[in-house]
Amino acid sequence: MTAPNDLRLLPWSGPENKPCYLSTDNTDGYMSRLADNIEAVQLGTAALLLEMASESLDDEEAEPIELRRLGHALTGALNEVLRVAVSRGQLLAAGEPR
């Protein structure tokens, strides 16, 4: 089994928004692949939101409520991207192939 400092931070939160971790030696297992797929979706969503933000900020007629909603969506996406970055950084530090 994996040492405690080699746990993988998963791309979702548990109860009370606490982090979830995976302890496995199998980087090709179901949970590892699920986490990889969710991370890919999260990064893709963040890229789309960034594109939308660029367009909205250039639009002088953008409604304040639209910009506010976009800001909330960007905040959520940034949280997810940071979690992915932390997780992948931990994997790299542990010598996991990516």
Side-chain angles (χ1 to χ4, degrees):
M1 202 44 117
T2 314
N5 59 345
D6 290 341
L7 297 174
R8 177 181 179 171
L9 177 63
L10 293 172
W12 55 81
S13 298
E16 299 177 14
N17 205 30
K18 292 186 179 181
C20 293
Y21 295 92
L22 176 63
S23 175
T24 183
D25 294 330
N26 185 0
T27 58
D28 228 11
Y30 175 77
M31 289 302 292
S32 293
R33 289 191 325 269
L34 177 63
D36 290 342
N37 289 336
I38 290 174
E39 286 177 353
V41 169
Q42 290 172 330
L43 293 173
T45 300
L48 289 174
L49 285 169
L50 182 58
E51 186 177 320
M52 288 174 57
S54 295
E55 292 171 4
S56 294
L57 292 173
D58 288 340
D59 181 3
E60 293 180 13
E61 295 179 16
E63 295 291 326
I65 190 71
E66 292 173 11
L67 296 174
R68 184 175 169 89
R69 286 184 187 136
L70 181 59
H72 282 289
L74 285 167
T75 300
L78 182 56
N79 272 326
E80 292 173 348
V81 167
L82 285 172
R83 184 185 303 262
V84 171
V86 167
S87 176
R88 292 188 180 184
Q90 290 171 349
L91 290 173
L92 291 172
E96 290 286 331
R98 263 284 168 216

